[in-house]
Amino acid sequence: MRRWTVGFAAAAAAFAITSPAQAQSQISSVCGVTGTATAPASITYDPFSPGGLSEVTIPLILRRNRGILLGRTDEVSLVIVAPTGSPPLDVTYRGFRVIYPEGSTAGRPRSLDSRDNGAGSAGEIRYNFGGILSSDLSNPLNLRVTVPPGTDLSAGEPIVLDLLYICSGIGGLASLPVPVREPGTIRINVNTVSALQAYYAGSPLDFGEIGDASTTAVLAAPERYTTPAGNSLRVRSSGPFEVRMRSQNDFRLTYPGGNLGDASQAIRYSARFLGQEVTSNASFGTRTCARAGMDGSAGVLPLRATLKEGGAAKTPAPNYSDVISITFTPVVTAASASNCAGL
């Protein structure tokens, strides 16, 4: 009476589509802009795809500040700044890279078109909003965005970047000739697939030979009849996920052809998973875990099993076994999700 096995299945992926941030023109005494950049609805990014997201055109829309009466933002020159910890991606405008890592903008933005006739515009984004009756929204400024495969983007969450700009005001609105940093001004909404990968890591979950062990002896030494602590399910995911666990024999070991209704042909055990001691299919339910990330650092889920009965009084057979199925289902968002790593 020696072995039980474990299996699991990962469910199909769902898609998360974020919506553009909504904003109104800000009333201010100085010039300024905010911006959003939204991927077309047909564009999705699967972090598990070997192709990544390559050369996708995403329109950037700028919205200018206005004054109380006639004041308004006239011209703007800007670059995009990727804060420390931002995902690696490349953004170009008119063939030039316009995204820079923290602290490495090389003096950009340098000038406005009205001051240098566009001579220094390479590597930055420039726009003239026009007169008082012109729209406060810019025309679409087409950005070419590339996301390398395996980038750790979170499903349902935009890529939030900073904006560094100079601008000119008109109609009484003050200009800003020294670059101003606006954190979180650029939101690039890439439709990231909520997906996951999962696998079992460790040794077979094996109790060994228990034919001579009585139930009294098993209950007196639970650690001796518990599988090693190093076994776990490993999950990589771009979003939160639901977990379900079910035993083929309702957490009882039996032999091929054995009768689960006959106590002499079944051996009870429990499984510890996600911090819960599970003794029946009805006791686990559904658990929701926070995203594991692409590196899987938040997706190590230990699994152990403990005997509840010995085999001395059971019908002799070469192998008693059971199969546990653990199902992972990615979800787009979760109102409440646990940090399941290490439970």
Side-chain angles (χ1 to χ4, degrees), residues 214-299:
S214 67
T215 297
T216 299
V218 166
L219 295 179
E223 282 301 314
R224 179 180 175 183
Y225 297 99
T226 297
T227 58
N231 300 314
S232 64
L233 279 299
R234 304 293 178 89
V235 180
R236 299 167 63 210
S237 75
S238 59
F241 55 95
E242 293 180 345
V243 184
R244 296 177 179 84
M245 181 168 67
R246 185 173 182 82
S247 158
Q248 179 177 286
N249 299 328
D250 202 15
F251 295 90
R252 291 170 293 177
L253 308 174
T254 191
Y255 55 88
N259 180 6
L260 292 172
D262 185 341
S264 68
Q265 298 179 26
I267 301 174
R268 293 184 299 110
Y269 72 95
S270 66
R272 183 167 185 81
F273 187 56
L274 299 187
Q276 181 178 345
E277 199 74 19
V278 186
T279 57
S280 70
N281 286 332
S283 64
F284 187 79
T286 300
R287 301 286 296 275
T288 302
C289 297
R291 72 186 297 267
M294 291 302 296
D295 63 355
S297 59

Side-chain angles (χ1 to χ4, degrees), residues 45 51-56 58 88-92 143-149 151:
Y45 173 71
L53 181 64
S54 179
E55 296 291 317
V56 175
I58 298 179
L89 70 159
D90 194 36
V91 181
T92 62
L143 307 179
R144 299 289 288 176
V145 178
T146 302
V147 181
T151 299

Side-chain angles (χ1 to χ4, degrees), residues 14 44 133 189 203 221 234 241 256 258 268 294 307 323 326 334 336:
T44 59
L133 298 180
N189 294 316
S203 59
R234 304 293 178 89
F241 55 95
R268 293 184 299 110
M294 291 302 296
L307 275 178
V323 175
I326 298 177
S336 177

